């Protein structure tokens, strides 16, 4: 069984700085480089922040859009929730166990080319809001993530997490 999913990198937002979206894409490229290809073996737990580490300017992360208490702002590493959202969504289509996940409290993209239902995302904020997934199966899963020109995508199946998706 093959599973794949993609989310748009750029959205038409009212009043939001386009530079924050460009920076988000740059941040996603850095995080994807840390996660693409990792294998989650039986009994292991995937931690989003343990693998990515703290997003800092020194590592090349830029100011991107963040949500805090229902307000839109910017901070270093902003936009990385798009990747945790995608990984969480794909995990829901596998036998893997989500052991830690936080949902967004505010819908910043109502009806703007929505690809997933609201409430199905996984917000992240270093180091306190992590996405953690445990492999309770007998099979390894590989995470494969790709930042394209227009979309963040993953594809895969129930045996492996592949390209921010699951692939067997």
């Amino acid at each position: 069984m093959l599973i794949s999913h993609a989310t748009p990198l750029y959205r038409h937002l009212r009043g939001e700085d386009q530079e924050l979206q460009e920076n988000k894409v740059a941040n996603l490229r850095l995080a994807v480089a840390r996660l693409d290809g990792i294998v989650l073996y039986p009994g292991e737990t995937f931690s989003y922040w343990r693998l990515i580490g703290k997003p800092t300017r020194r590592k090349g992360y830029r100011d991107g859009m963040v949500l805090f208490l229902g307000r839109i702002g910017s901070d270093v590493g902003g936009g990385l929730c798009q990747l945790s959202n995608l990984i969480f969504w794909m995990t829901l289509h596998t036998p893997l166990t989500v052991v830690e996940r936080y949902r967004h409290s505010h819908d910043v993209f109502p009806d703007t080319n929505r690809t997933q239902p609201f409430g199905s995302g996984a917000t992240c904020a270093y180091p306190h809001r992590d996405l953690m997934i445990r492999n309770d199966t007998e099979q390894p899963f590989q995470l494969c993530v790709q930042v394209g020109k227009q979309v963040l995508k993953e594809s895969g199946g129930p045996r492996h997490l592949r390209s921010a998706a699951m692939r067997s």
Side-chain angles (χ1 to χ4, degrees), residues 27 30-31 52 54-57 59-63 76-77 80:
N27 293 339
L30 291 171
I52 293 174
K54 182 178 182 177
T56 63
R57 290 190 200 289
K59 293 179 184 176
Y61 287 94
R62 303 176 185 174
D63 285 342
V76 176
L80 292 179

Side-chain angles (χ1 to χ4, degrees), residues 99-110:
V99 294
E100 184 176 338
R101 172 257 182 172
Y102 301 89
R103 63 174 287 189
H104 292 87
S105 60
H106 178 74
D107 191 1
V108 72
F109 303 122

Side-chain angles (χ1 to χ4, degrees), residues 27 34 39 69 95 114 127 152 157:
N27 293 339
R34 303 285 307 208
V39 176
L69 299 174
R114 182 175 300 287
L152 173 65

Side-chain angles (χ1 to χ4, degrees), residues 24-97:
K24 171 193 74 171
V25 173
N27 293 339
L28 288 170
R29 289 187 194 289
L30 291 171
V32 161
R34 303 285 307 208
L35 298 180
D36 184 39
I38 68 112
V39 176
L40 185 61
Y41 291 98
E44 289 185 339
T45 299
F46 165 98
S47 166
Y48 190 73
W49 288 126
R50 188 171 4 115
L51 291 167
I52 293 174
K54 182 178 182 177
T56 63
R57 290 190 200 289
R58 185 174 179 207
K59 293 179 184 176
Y61 287 94
R62 303 176 185 174
D63 285 342
M65 188 174 69
V66 296
L67 295 176
F68 184 71
L69 299 174
R71 297 205 165 146
I72 296 172
S74 65
D75 199 6
V76 176
L80 292 179
C81 285
Q82 185 170 353
L83 179 56
S84 60
N85 288 342
L86 185 62
I87 294 169
F88 174 70
W89 179 250
M90 296 307 295
T91 299
L92 294 178
H93 298 86
T94 72
L96 298 175
T97 304

